Amino acid sequence: MRFTVLTLFPELVETGFHTSITGRAAEKGLLSLRCINFRQYSDGGNGYVDDYPYGGGAGMVLQAPPIYRAYREAVGEGPRPRLVYMTPQGRVLDQALAKELAREEELYILCGHYEGVDERVLEEIATDRVSIGDYVLTGGELPALVLMDAVSRMVPGVLSNHESAGDESFMNGLLEYPQYTRPEVFLGRPVPEILKSGHHANIARWRRNESLRRTKEVRPDLLEAAELDRNDREFLADLEAEQETARK
Ligand code: ADE
């Protein structure tokens, strides 16, 4: 996967990306990152890339021409790439979107700042608008890093076996079960006995139930879409009954 990020803060994006798993995958050649600072494409090289909004109002707006020039030069003679504009006004990122974007060979990301970006350049170059959640950040750089991280770990070879992207939150539409490692007792809390039993089927059932318990507690909305079998429904019904009794 080749990422190209249009940003006023390339150091922030590069530092984040070249750390830990994505950094290691870049060294292996599985991922690459090219950051382009569109300040270098300012009108007449004056370094200014923002201006007052037409119609008035607070804040500044990033101008279309510098972003467009940076984009044109980066794309060159190549085909029109998929370009994600990071914005709280976009579709909220989830695992399904990360998976879909991971199928691209190349992904462009535009990071905005200040009050926003001139709509006309977005109409021209953005194929997607993506938010990382219902809160407003000062810029699109951290969202771009979040998006690249979520996408990268779906790229084959980026995760090693023990980091595998299989058995975890959202893959099966549920939150992940709790994990334990040594020591066997921590501050008086023992590891659940069943995890030491060596009985794989029972362990799998216990984990599934704990996933269901967590999801019901924290994200009941996810249960609506999750694929549940008869055992799952029975467990959830028992849980509901237990909670009902506890409330009385
Ligand atoms: N830029 C500022 N806030 C954002 C958010 N929540 N998601 C994506 N881009 C943003």
Side-chain angles (χ1 to χ4, degrees):
M1 166 68 71
R2 285 173 287 138
F3 294 108
T4 295
V5 181
L6 305 177
T7 169
L8 293 174
F9 300 95
E11 323 77 49
L12 172 53
V13 177
E14 269 157 13
T15 305
F17 185 81
H18 290 294
T19 302
S20 187
I21 293 177
T22 45
R24 199 183 62 213
E27 280 169 22
K28 281 203 237 163
L30 295 166
L31 307 174
S32 71
L33 171 66
R34 168 173 66 150
C35 283
I36 296 170
N37 188 341
F38 52 86
R39 192 178 297 288
Q40 286 161 358
Y41 295 81
S42 60
D43 284 334
N46 63 11
Y48 290 102
V49 289
D50 59 347
D51 208 335
Y52 296 99
Y54 275 105
M60 303 291 271
V61 177
L62 288 167
Q63 296 172 290
I67 293 170
Y68 188 65
R69 283 193 285 265
Y71 169 84
R72 285 263 35 115
E73 191 172 305
V75 172
E77 297 302 305
R80 183 181 186 198
R82 193 143 179 199
L83 185 143
V84 179
Y85 170 50
M86 303 310 305
T87 168
Q89 279 87 47
R91 165 179 172 189
V92 177
L93 177 63
D94 61 12
Q95 197 63 36
L97 179 56
K99 219 168 165 176
E100 186 206 319
L101 292 172
R103 287 199 290 267
E104 303 286 332
E105 275 172 27
E106 167 149 65
L107 201 59
Y108 277 55
I109 302 174
L110 171 63
C111 304
H113 247 269
Y114 316 109
E115 290 304 297
V117 173
D118 190 312
E119 188 66 22
R120 294 166 297 178
V121 71
L122 297 176
E123 286 168 5
E124 189 66 30
I125 70 175
T127 57
D128 302 77
R129 300 180 190 213
V130 174
S131 164
I132 62 161
D134 291 339
Y135 43 85
V136 181
L137 301 171
T138 54
E141 283 73 19
L142 294 175
L145 283 167
V146 168
L147 179 73
M148 288 193 288
D149 194 291
V151 168
S152 294
R153 57 195 297 296
M154 307 305 299
V155 171
V158 168
L159 295 187
S160 61
N161 259 352
H162 70 272
E163 294 154 351
S164 118
D167 197 12
E168 61 181 28
S169 296
F170 301 117
M171 272 304 172
N172 56 12
L174 299 175
L175 301 185
E176 201 194 356
Y177 48 80
Q179 297 273 22
Y180 302 86
T181 186
R182 285 185 288 184
E184 215 173 300
V185 180
F186 171 67
L187 298 180
R189 296 161 197 258
V191 168
E193 208 55 45
I194 192 163
L195 298 179
K196 300 186 289 176
S197 68
H199 193 299
H200 297 298
N202 286 354
I203 291 173
R205 187 65 243 169
W206 182 87
R207 286 180 162 165
R208 178 78 183 176
N209 288 348
E210 291 310 304
S211 276
L212 291 164
R213 185 197 305 279
R214 275 198 171 171
T215 309
K216 180 167 162 29
E217 210 168 284
V218 185
R219 293 291 307 278
D221 57 301
L222 293 177
L223 286 178
E224 318 259 314
E227 254 180 61
L228 304 176
D229 64 15
R230 209 164 54 99
N231 286 327
D232 295 335
R233 292 187 192 286
E234 270 174 26
F235 178 77
L236 287 168
D238 289 350
L239 208 57
E240 186 61 41
E242 257 173 51
Q243 287 169 350
E244 196 56 39
T245 316
R247 276 196 286 270
K248 280 186 192 147

